[in-house]
Every structure is written in structure tokens, then in C-alpha cells.
Amino acid sequence: VQLQASGGGLVQAGGSLRLSCAASGHTFNSVAMGWFRQAPGKEREFVAVIRWSDGLTYYADSVKGRFTASRDNAKNTGFLQMNSLKPEDTAVYYCAVGDFSTATILYTYWGQGTLVTVSS
């Protein structure tokens, strides 16, 4: 399984970005696509997860109400719509496939990461 993330960039505070993550290969064993982020000097943290089968989502408190995860099952692609971005959202964002979980250890395959920078 390969994951290709895209959509990162530089945006002003209050702006929006949409991340995409295209999965190729045998993804049928994965239950969900998760999104994580890692800021400089910090540990990787959970952001959001969406279940492939029914679109059930779960979000970290820090992004709830601002970020929305979605998916296109036909294209094996997940999306993370990020609105009302804040400087503290600046990080490398990773997509991953695995269990419907907030724990990094339960994700089997990871994308390469895409940098999101929010200026104040």
C-alpha cells in the first residue's frame, strides 16, 4: 500500500486548506484513514480519522469544528478540509490507513507527509 498526500502549503491565519491522500495497492484490510500531524520538536499527534465503510469520523478536540475528514471510496482517497486555520496548526500532516483509532501504532501504512504553515 502506498499513500500519496498533497495539498499542504502556506496560508494566513483564518484561511483554509484541503489535504488529499490517495491510497494505492491492497487497502481492503484497512478500516479507516487517519490524519496526524507533527510540529517541530513535538511528538506526532492525532488529528482526525474517518472509517471507510460508513464515513464515521472522530476528531481531536483541538480541531473539532474547524477540520472535516471525508473520503471517496471509489478513488481510495481521503480528504482533510481545514478551515479557520491557526498558527498552532503549523505542522507536517500525515495520512495513514489502519484501524479506526487515535493511536499511531494501530496504523499500518503512512504517507510521506505534507507541510502546512499558518502565518499570523
Side-chain angles (χ1 to χ4, degrees):
V1 176
Q2 290 186 324
L3 301 177
Q4 182 66 44
S6 61
L10 173 64
V11 64
Q12 288 187 334
S16 299
L17 282 174
R18 189 189 194 211
L19 305 184
S20 299
C21 181
S24 60
H26 296 292
T27 61
F28 53 82
N29 285 330
S30 69
V31 173
M33 175 173 282
W35 293 91
F36 295 78
R37 65 187 181 187
Q38 188 165 17
K42 295 187 176 182
E43 292 187 352
R44 191 169 300 188
E45 65 174 3
F46 167 78
V47 174
V49 59
I50 184 165
R51 193 158 62 189
W52 289 116
S53 61
D54 59 3
L56 179 67
T57 55
Y58 183 77
Y59 300 94
D61 287 343
S62 58
V63 307
K64 201 172 294 182
R66 300 188 297 124
F67 290 13
T68 302
S70 61
R71 89 281 190 229
D72 183 338
N73 286 19
K75 297 181 179 180
N76 278 351
T77 300
F79 305 95
L80 185 67
Q81 177 67 42
M82 306 185 295
N83 298 329
S84 302
L85 283 161
K86 305 175 181 179
E88 51 264 42
D89 293 318
T90 295
V92 176
Y93 283 70
Y94 298 89
C95 58
V97 294
D99 287 345
F100 186 83
S101 174
T102 64
T104 58
I105 196 172
L106 293 180
Y107 287 83
T108 308
Y109 299 99
W110 291 80
Q112 83 285 7
T114 184
L115 177 63
V116 172
T117 304
V118 184
S119 62
S120 57

